[in-house]
Amino acid sequence: MSDERHDVAGAEDDAHVSHYLCIGCPLGCRLEVEEEDGEIVEVRGQSCKKGEAFARQEHTDPRRVVTTTVAIEGSLWPRLPVKTEGDVPKDSVIDVCNLLHELRLEAPVTMGQVIAADVLGTGVDVVASRDLPRR
Amino acid sequence: MITPKPAQLQPRYDVVVVGGGPAGLAAAVGARESGAERVLVIDREPEAGGILQQCIHPGFGLHHFGEELTGPEYAQRAIEQTLERDVDVLSSAYVLDVASDRRLKVTSRDHGVAFLDAGAVVLAMGARERTRGAIRIPGERPAGVMTAGFAQKLVNLGGMLPGRRAVILGSGDIGLIMARRLVLEGVEVEGVYELMPHANGLNRNLVQCLHDYDIPLHLSTTVVHIDGRERVEKVTVAPVDEAYRPNMAKARDIACDTLLVSIGLIPDNELAHRLGLRLDPVTTGPVVTSTMETTRDGVFACGNVVHIHDLVDYVSQESELAGRGAGAYATGTPTPPDNVRLTPGENVRYCVPPTITTDREHTVYMRVTKPMAPCTLHLGDVYKRPLRYVFPGEMVTLKVRPRFLEGFHGGSLPVSIVPREEGGSA
Ligand code: SF4
């Protein structure tokens, strides 16, 4: 495991190989992205086109949908499940969660209601994943 | 979405569904669609929706609703579809017994103990998680050892953390998803340990739940001891050999206050036992016909009670069928008996339903014993289909159309999945 990580950096001259596990299907192809001077020169290891697209996206701009819960009062449960309405940069996932965990809501809330608009300037809204009526 | 409660219970329903998760909700819809007038869903939680309410991550609904939803969104849609059809939902209630004449003994917060008669019953109680006891981890019995799904309920519904530093045993999807969930809530996850030489969860979860947060996955390794007086203080892990025997010489201790186990699901079949239903030794769920009827007349079963599904979408589809069967039974519409038996052959563990008819289309769900890619699925010698791959963790579904069975006049059809040479004909 640790050895694998070490020989990735600075393998041959400026060539740099990054490894990804394709999530496109259960075959789980091991993908390699070779980069030279900041440009992708080759994607290897995929068994279909989906894999190449996935590797390029993960390498240049990995994004994730974030789901977590927000504190809420006056409802059946003390937490409201929420989600980002689209994906946000992977690097911002923890910050988005930390921000959401500071919020305190009051029931009722309805599914799709915006809980945090344009969260952290990502252009993506965080919305409620369900109704939570006042009880 | 808190489900409204019926003001009063009727003494008799056309169809009573036991369980208000995705299976029970879809069964209730199916029962109404097939003509049952009075349909009651009985659920033990304070609101319907089942396990979906705590599965706050996305990944549900692509097949059934045509878009990717979180668990609570899927649950809310399923509840709305059920309530739109004037189905009664009794929450905070428990079915204590079902007699062979389909008289149910029910206890509930709002109505105490009551007896109800049902024209047909649908068992949709879902599954339970295997616990520490199922794999007999030696050691003390401190607080802090729990199933991954229970921890999920604590965190996502209860707003409570299970501990501060956790070890996870089992790389099934619930375990992987809880690893990420705990990290996002500020809990340290030391690592995920898996007895098998391969991960059990989806690749998507390996990447997005473990790799994204640098959580290590230790394959062929298991927990061999739990220590702690009041609370877990440490667990001991050790690598295992090909026969899964731990190598104690290489054991090491990990300081932690929490151990989550994610080691599989088993159909919840207490009522099936009480009813004396025939159970399938492979699935451990009731044996069903192509209308999802069990070995007792008028008692149907669907969802994880019958076999463990990987996608809720298939639970909904199968359960709607069970509900239709129950509705037809209750309203006196006969369905023709099955005349084809599907017998599991090479690399097929089981087929649900195990029997079908030649007069209409059936969806057959099956599980394989080992991965194969590429391969061919054979239905006797009447039909075959090339498959890119099969994996034990992913259910194989096959639509069996009447035209496949033209010229086949009943009897047994072996179902097998065999390797296919790359480039060769299927
Ligand atoms: S590259 Fe294609 S075949 Fe390989 S895992 Fe990805 S989607 Fe599947």
Side-chain angles (χ1 to χ4, degrees):
Chain A
M1 256 301 198
S2 50
D3 292 339
E4 192 184 324
R5 278 184 200 157
H6 287 156
D7 53 51
V8 170
E12 320 158 8
D13 306 307
D14 311 324
H16 191 293
V17 179
S18 310
H19 299 262
Y20 300 95
L21 170 63
C22 184
I23 66 171
C25 83
L27 289 177
C29 295
R30 312 267 158 180
L31 310 174
E32 288 182 2
V33 175
E34 186 171 333
E35 194 181 62
E36 235 178 80
D37 305 324
E39 293 284 319
I40 294 178
V41 291
E42 198 186 355
V43 178
R44 293 184 290 263
Q46 68 274 21
S47 306
C48 77
K49 280 195 175 147
K50 231 163 138 185
E52 171 158 2
F54 172 78
R56 286 180 182 275
Q57 179 77 40
E58 280 290 276
H59 191 73
T60 53
D61 180 24
R63 301 181 73 88
R64 301 288 185 262
V65 168
V66 182
T67 57
T68 185
T69 63
V70 175
I72 186 165
E73 279 188 11
S75 54
L76 173 65
W77 306 110
R79 307 296 294 190
L80 170 76
V82 298
K83 66 168 192 179
T84 52
E85 244 187 333
D87 46 29
V88 299
K90 185 178 127 181
D91 288 344
S92 66
V93 170
I94 300 253
D95 293 337
V96 166
C97 283
N98 290 342
L99 178 144
L100 292 171
H101 294 166
E102 294 303 311
L103 301 179
R104 297 287 176 270
L105 304 174
E106 189 75 42
V109 169
T110 52
M111 182 162 75
Q113 186 177 323
V114 176
I115 301 303
D118 181 19
V119 66
L120 292 178
T122 54
V124 177
D125 292 345
V126 174
V127 299
S129 297
R130 59 168 291 173
D131 291 357
L132 261 183
R134 190 148 191 100
R135 83 175 190 149
Chain B
M1 177 107 203
I2 299 171
T3 24
K5 308 207 163 42
Q8 62 192 63
L9 284 180
Q10 309 288 328
R12 196 192 145 79
Y13 288 86
D14 295 326
V15 175
V16 173
V17 180
V18 187
L25 293 169
V29 168
R32 288 288 288 131
E33 304 275 283
S34 70
E37 292 282 333
R38 279 167 306 169
V39 177
L40 174 71
V41 174
I42 300 176
D43 192 54
R44 73 174 169 215
E45 296 295 324
E47 61 174 354
I51 200 77
L52 289 170
Q53 299 288 19
Q54 67 184 58
C55 296
I56 64 168
H57 51 280
F60 306 93
L62 271 174
H63 296 262
H64 195 61
F65 290 111
E67 60 180 297
E68 188 168 1
L69 302 170
T70 62
E73 289 171 308
Y74 192 111
Q76 183 158 337
R77 289 196 189 195
I79 293 168
E80 282 167 358
Q81 288 184 341
T82 309
L83 296 180
E84 271 164 19
R85 288 171 175 81
D86 289 323
V87 170
D88 280 347
V89 179
L90 178 64
S91 304
S92 300
Y94 210 87
V95 175
L96 298 169
D97 200 8
V98 185
S100 52
D101 60 356
R102 296 187 301 279
R103 167 165 282 209
L104 291 93
K105 185 180 182 186
V106 181
T107 181
S108 65
R109 196 185 54 196
D110 296 341
H111 305 277
V113 174
F115 288 89
L116 312 173
D117 288 307
V121 172
V122 182
L123 303 178
M125 296 84 72
R128 291 174 188 239
E129 294 180 277
R130 293 174 78 215
T131 62
R132 170 190 177 178
I135 52 169
R136 299 196 185 91
I137 306 173
E140 290 163 291
R141 305 187 67 81
V145 182
M146 66 192 86
T147 60
F150 180 70
Q152 188 180 47
K153 185 173 187 175
L154 281 185
V155 174
N156 292 345
L157 293 177
M160 290 175 267
L161 296 181
R164 292 286 164 206
R165 182 172 155 89
V167 164
I168 300 179
L169 175 62
S171 64
D173 289 309
I174 312 175
L176 302 181
I177 280 169
M178 279 314 291
R180 171 178 63 188
R181 194 70 198 103
L182 291 180
V183 169
L184 292 178
E185 290 291 344
V187 178
E188 194 186 338
V189 177
E190 193 276 340
V192 177
Y193 294 83
E194 169 59 55
L195 177 72
M196 305 298 285
H198 52 82
N200 277 318
L202 297 172
N203 293 326
R204 167 163 137 161
N205 288 332
L206 289 174
V207 170
Q208 299 189 352
C209 299
L210 299 189
H211 300 183
D212 276 8
Y213 301 96
D214 291 323
I215 301 170
L217 170 62
H218 305 271
L219 298 174
S220 295
T221 309
T222 194
V223 173
V224 292
H225 206 267
I226 300 172
D227 280 288
R229 285 192 65 77
E230 301 287 320
R231 177 82 202 185
V232 177
E233 287 160 20
K234 66 178 163 76
V235 298
T236 309
V237 298
V240 298
D241 64 16
E242 309 78 56
Y244 308 116
R245 281 176 306 230
N247 178 351
M248 297 307 286
K250 289 191 178 161
R252 65 185 170 91
D253 291 345
I254 302 163
C256 60
D257 62 8
T258 304
L259 173 66
L260 300 191
V261 295
S262 171
I263 51 177
L265 302 172
I266 33 177
D268 181 349
N269 270 311
E270 261 160 67
L271 288 178
H273 282 290
R274 293 189 80 90
L275 275 159
L277 304 183
R278 205 168 113 216
L279 301 181
D280 180 314
V282 178
T283 60
T284 74
V287 173
V288 289
T289 65
S290 64
T291 56
M292 305 305 289
E293 190 170 9
T294 67
T295 47
R296 194 165 290 274
D297 282 355
V299 177
F300 295 73
C302 56
N304 282 350
V305 152
V306 177
H307 60 132
I308 303 301
H309 295 61
D310 45 0
L311 289 181
V312 65
D313 304 67
Y314 294 142
V315 168
S316 296
Q317 283 166 23
E318 176 188 284
S319 302
E320 202 168 314
L321 180 75
R324 283 177 185 276
Y329 182 92
T331 55
T333 321
T335 43
D338 293 341
N339 58 350
V340 179
R341 169 166 299 278
L342 302 170
T343 52
E346 184 178 339
N347 202 20
V348 175
R349 269 184 68 216
Y350 68 78
C351 300
V352 169
T355 55
I356 56 173
T357 62
T358 46
D359 69 331
R360 58 183 197 278
E361 185 177 300
H362 297 275
T363 301
V364 176
Y365 302 100
M366 55 195 102
R367 284 224 185 246
V368 299
T369 30
K370 53 179 194 278
M372 263 184 199
C375 48
T376 307
L377 189 159
H378 291 267
L379 197 56
D381 50 16
V382 301
Y383 176 78
K384 63 182 173 182
R385 190 175 93 190
L387 299 172
R388 269 182 72 211
Y389 53 78
V390 292
F391 284 87
E394 200 173 86
M395 238 158 52
V396 179
T397 60
L398 175 68
K399 276 210 185 344
V400 182
R401 301 179 205 281
R403 67 176 164 81
F404 300 173
L405 303 173
E406 269 168 25
F408 182 80
H409 298 290
S412 273
L413 260 185
V415 185
S416 56
I417 294 176
V418 298
R420 169 166 50 107
E421 294 303 316
E422 198 89 56
S425 70

